[in-house]
Amino acid sequence: MNPYASSVVISSLALGTILTLSSSHWILAWIGLEINTLAIIPMMTKTPHPRAIEAATKYFLTQAAASALILFSSTINAYALGEWAINTSIHPVSATLLSIAIAMKLGVAPFHFWLPEVLQGSSLQTGLILSTWQKLAPMALLLQLSQSVNLNLLLSLGLLSTMIGGWGGINQTQIRKVLAFSSVAHLGWMVAVLKISPQLTLLNFSIYILMTSTLFLTFMSLDTKNMYELSTSWSKTPTLAAFSMLSLLSLSGLPPLTGFMPKWLIAQEMIKQNMTTFALVILLSTLLSLFFYLRLTYSMSLTLAPNLSFSPTTWFNLPTNLLATPMVLSLLLLPITPTIMAMV
């Protein structure tokens, strides 16, 4: 992409997100979301491939429908209450429609069908932006809506997302589709605890962004796009493969790694709210996700491709500081959980 065009696109991405994060008016928030959507399209179509064009079209249509629903529901809310402010009380009908529209933008089940196909048709770099940066603005709006949304709706969306995210990723061999279903499952945990404890949703979202960014940077460094190519990573970069295996296990939520922290705290909070059965079911649904994470770790660490003895062993292509810091953070934050909770 032309450097000038690239700078305009990146600036527009930043502008759209900052505008939504800082706005207290529904129209301004909607404008920020629209800028975000339009800015990512050129990045998705910079590779002139039919899959990229298809992914960009699906993304644009889905996001345009969600944005139209946000505009429609915020107009209904303004008509009913005479308020355009985000941080005031929301009409129940508008709150339900807004939560559905934001769930569509985030890729929460059952509005997740676009996410695996769009990520599969995009490059790893664009997939990283779609999985992390593009979720900041909708999640900020959802956090501000948390006290106005129906609890049963959020619990239903959360449980459905964790089950579909785990079930859908089981038979996938493409890395980007696996990470897409992983995103659906993690968003289910965030949505389920949103009304009970928005602080835990924010903590879970921050840790999800950290771990997902680490894995995307790892796969970009290894230039890996499917599960079979992972078997060559151990012979080429043994140290990176070992840390990547631990990062995958952390994303699955296994103790004593960082990814266990949000699941532990969310389950504890649900038990405090006398939702023991729901906590048990959502924890059992995590076992589905654990299966495909273990498949990835098996391909990466326990499967060796034919390797010539004179092939070079390298560390990785990306600058060391770019990957080392998030890798360490995505593995070793569990012991400082009390400090993190005090900050949140």
Side-chain angles (χ1 to χ4, degrees):
M1 186 184 292
N2 186 290
Y4 296 109
S6 179
S7 63
V8 169
V9 167
I10 294 172
S11 302
S12 299
L13 277 175
L15 174 65
T17 303
I18 292 170
L19 186 61
T20 303
L21 291 178
S22 59
S23 62
S24 58
H25 195 285
W26 277 113
I27 297 296
L28 282 177
W30 173 78
I31 291 172
L33 291 172
E34 286 298 292
I35 293 173
N36 246 1
T37 301
L38 294 175
I40 195 70
I41 299 295
M43 298 187 71
M44 298 174 71
T45 56
K46 66 180 179 181
T47 304
H49 191 274
R51 291 297 298 271
I53 305 299
E54 179 187 354
T57 305
K58 288 178 178 177
Y59 181 77
F60 174 75
L61 292 176
T62 308
Q63 299 295 312
S67 295
L69 188 54
I70 287 175
L71 191 60
F72 174 68
S73 51
S74 59
T75 305
I76 289 178
N77 182 67
Y79 179 77
L81 302 179
E83 287 274 353
W84 284 100
I86 296 175
N87 51 5
T88 58
S89 59
I90 307 291
H91 192 272
V93 175
S94 297
T96 303
L97 291 176
L98 283 166
S99 57
I100 290 173
I102 295 172
M104 194 185 301
K105 276 192 166 292
L106 287 170
V108 175
F111 313 105
H112 69 288
F113 297 103
W114 61 272
L115 185 59
E117 298 300 324
V118 168
L119 276 187
Q120 181 59 29
S122 307
S123 64
L124 284 170
Q125 292 85 347
T126 309
L128 172 61
I129 297 173
L130 285 171
S131 300
T132 55
W133 185 265
Q134 289 295 92
K135 295 186 186 299
L136 291 175
M139 184 56 73
L141 291 178
L142 196 58
L143 283 168
Q144 293 181 75
L145 279 175
S146 59
Q147 300 310 313
S148 303
V149 185
N150 187 3
L151 177 62
N152 292 328
L153 174 64
L154 291 179
L155 293 177
S156 303
L157 290 177
L159 185 58
L160 193 62
S161 293
T162 55
M163 297 189 73
I164 288 179
W167 195 266
I170 283 178
N171 62 344
Q172 301 296 333
T173 59
Q174 298 295 320
I175 295 292
R176 286 163 290 183
K177 280 194 174 183
V178 168
L179 290 173
F181 282 108
S182 167
S183 172
V184 173
H186 278 84
L187 285 168
W189 281 86
M190 299 175 212
V191 168
V193 80
L194 179 65
K195 192 174 179 70
I196 302 167
S197 177
Q199 294 84 2
L200 284 182
T201 298
L202 183 60
L203 174 66
N204 196 351
F205 183 60
S206 304
I207 292 177
Y208 159 77
I209 286 183
L210 172 66
M211 294 188 296
T212 303
S213 302
T214 302
L215 281 176
F216 264 104
L217 290 172
T218 301
F219 294 135
M220 285 160 55
S221 172
L222 295 172
D223 195 19
T224 304
K225 295 181 178 62
N226 59 57
M227 200 173 290
Y228 305 113
E229 293 176 358
L230 286 177
S231 59
T232 64
S233 60
W234 189 267
S235 55
K236 290 180 180 177
T237 55
T239 310
L240 181 58
F243 279 105
S244 303
M245 179 189 70
L246 291 174
S247 297
L248 283 166
L249 294 177
S250 179
L251 194 64
S252 69
L254 281 183
L257 302 169
T258 300
F260 176 64
M261 183 203 306
K263 290 182 171 59
W264 171 31
L265 295 172
I266 290 171
Q268 184 180 18
E269 184 65 30
M270 287 180 175
I271 292 170
K272 284 181 184 177
Q273 302 291 332
N274 295 321
M275 299 168 61
T276 308
T277 306
F278 184 86
L280 179 63
V281 173
I282 201 171
L283 283 170
L284 287 175
S285 68
T286 309
L287 295 176
L288 294 169
S289 303
L290 181 61
F291 177 78
F292 63 75
Y293 290 122
L294 289 176
R295 281 184 71 197
L296 288 174
T297 57
Y298 175 80
S299 299
M300 180 171 280
S301 59
L302 299 178
T303 305
L304 288 178
N307 181 41
L308 298 176
S309 58
F310 53 82
S311 62
T313 300
T314 57
W315 171 237
F316 45 79
N317 300 324
L318 291 173
T320 307
N321 294 334
L322 186 61
L323 190 49
T325 304
M327 185 78 76
V328 171
L329 292 177
S330 63
L331 297 179
L332 302 176
L333 287 183
L334 186 63
I336 60 169
T337 302
T339 306
I340 294 175
M341 287 303 297
M343 294 169 61
V344 172

